Amino acid sequence: MLVPSAAALSLLAIPVAHGWGTLGHATVGAIADHYLTAQAKSWVSTKLDGATMASVASWADTYRYTTAGRFSAPYHFIDAEDSPPSACSVNLNRDCGAGGCVVSAIANYTQRVQDGRLTHENSKEALEFLIHFIGDVTQPLHDEAEQVGGNDIPVTWDGATTNLHACWDTQMLEKAAGGGNTSATLSSFSATLIGRIDSGSYSGQKASWLSCSNIKTASACALAWAQDANAFNCQYVLKTDENGKELDGTYYTGAEPIIEIQIAKAGYRLGDWINKMAAANP
Ligand SMILES: *[C@@H]1O[C@H](CO)[C@@H](O)[C@H](O)[C@H]1NC(C)=O
Ligand SMILES: *[C@@H]1O[C@H](CO)[C@@H](O)[C@H](O)[C@H]1NC(C)=O
């Protein structure tokens, strides 16, 4: 039997899991990169010192565990105090804590990235936060207080103990993508989702993903995105009691299309959001 290292144990002790894992966030970034206008591409490149959105998409998950970045931990989620699976809802007054939440963070960093008075470093950081949080908000369990967003629901994946939240972030996503966090998986998964957006099964509904897409009403749009994702908790994510169950089976089969559409949505929205910000601040 493998004895877990101290580092692995301390990771297990982290109360709230990451958000889409590294591959999920990188896919959101890669899809968004694909939809940038030429002007937005250069706007982003200048802010990110030449980096792509895909490559910086997980920075906020590293930063939150540093002393300097601790303040940003609540920005990765909104703890909706609803009653899944019978009633799902997100309410900003009820659910966004005093320390902020993903909705207030998207609004804050949308404003900051366009604020010409910020230093280059602060502007870059604002964009990196935004790239990450527009990804996090589409993960249904990031918009849910129940059992700490599923972190406290133990499940197994291929026999190994994990929790419901982590399975959505990483194990199920990597299975849907067809591999782990490698650049080959990133390319093929993002190409598959871009194909569906352009001319496949998502092409008829992608316009509805942008039904709230005004950068001047960032808080309202971020709330609408949180509500859209939170609804999946009643429809599927928390509909059945998965406590102690193996997820790599029927549960995964139902989860896969939700993961794929939510990642595609996040990437498509992020690209559009950045295009609008770049156009408004040439
Ligand atoms: C906005 O972001 C800045 C920089 O990270 C932070 O200091 C500030 O507290 C944030 N404000 C809100 C309301 O989240
Ligand atoms: C994921 O892959 C990227 C690109 O190959 C790499 O830079 C990053 O360190 C990897 N992250 C993890 C957590 O393995």
Side-chain angles (χ1 to χ4, degrees):
M1 182 195 153
L2 282 174
V3 178
S5 66
L9 284 174
S10 73
L11 277 177
L12 288 174
I14 289 168
V16 176
H18 294 65
W20 298 119
T22 310
L23 177 63
H25 280 288
T27 309
V28 169
I31 294 170
D33 279 320
H34 176 83
Y35 289 107
L36 292 185
T37 62
Q39 188 250 340
K41 232 174 227 149
S42 94
W43 189 83
V44 165
S45 181
T46 302
K47 292 219 185 272
L48 298 182
D49 298 325
T52 61
M53 294 202 275
S55 69
V56 303
S58 280
W59 165 81
D61 272 335
T62 311
Y63 186 59
R64 69 184 286 189
Y65 295 114
T66 65
T67 307
R70 195 174 297 157
F71 73 95
S72 65
Y75 297 174
H76 293 247
F77 53 85
I78 181 164
D79 272 343
E81 299 283 350
D82 53 356
S83 314
S86 58
C88 278
S89 64
V90 185
N91 178 304
L92 201 53
N93 290 330
R94 181 190 64 191
D95 304 324
C96 193
C101 64
V102 69
V103 172
S104 62
I106 289 172
N108 187 31
Y109 293 112
T110 296
Q111 181 272 316
R112 285 177 67 85
V113 82
Q114 300 181 81
D115 183 342
R117 296 165 303 179
L118 258 58
T119 63
H120 175 71
E121 278 313 305
N122 284 341
S123 184
K124 176 183 179 186
E125 184 184 273
L127 182 56
E128 290 178 336
F129 271 133
L130 209 45
I131 291 165
H132 189 86
F133 298 144
I134 291 180
D136 274 346
V137 75
T138 66
Q139 209 280 41
L141 289 169
H142 274 248
D143 308 293
E144 186 54 64
E146 180 72 17
Q147 310 265 14
V148 197
N151 276 283
D152 287 353
I153 301 177
V155 298
T156 61
W157 180 259
D158 280 344
T161 304
T162 178
N163 67 69
L164 186 68
H165 188 113
C167 254
W168 279 86
D169 280 348
T170 305
Q171 287 96 334
M172 294 199 296
L173 182 133
E174 290 185 353
K175 181 164 178 167
N181 174 41
T182 66
S183 55
T185 307
L186 171 60
S187 308
S188 62
F189 190 41
S190 45
T192 299
L193 299 180
I194 288 166
R196 287 184 201 165
I197 293 169
D198 284 344
S199 53
S201 51
Y202 303 154
S203 63
Q205 49 178 308
K206 66 189 176 201
S208 72
W209 299 349
L210 304 182
S211 57
C212 193
S213 59
N214 183 345
I215 55 171
K216 295 199 172 107
T217 61
S219 179
C221 290
L223 179 62
W225 301 339
Q227 287 165 335
D228 176 61
N230 163 273
F232 284 107
N233 291 319
C234 286
Q235 288 164 27
Y236 190 77
V237 183
L238 297 169
K239 189 168 185 182
T240 47
D241 181 4
E242 297 301 318
N243 197 312
K245 306 241 176 85
E246 168 62 46
L247 297 196
D248 191 6
T250 320
Y251 187 82
Y252 169 77
T253 306
E256 184 188 327
I258 299 171
I259 291 171
E260 291 168 350
I261 203 166
Q262 291 303 91
I263 293 285
K265 250 183 219 178
Y268 194 65
R269 281 182 187 145
L270 177 61
D272 174 73
W273 201 250
I274 304 264
N275 284 340
K276 287 172 176 158
M277 293 194 303
N281 302 274

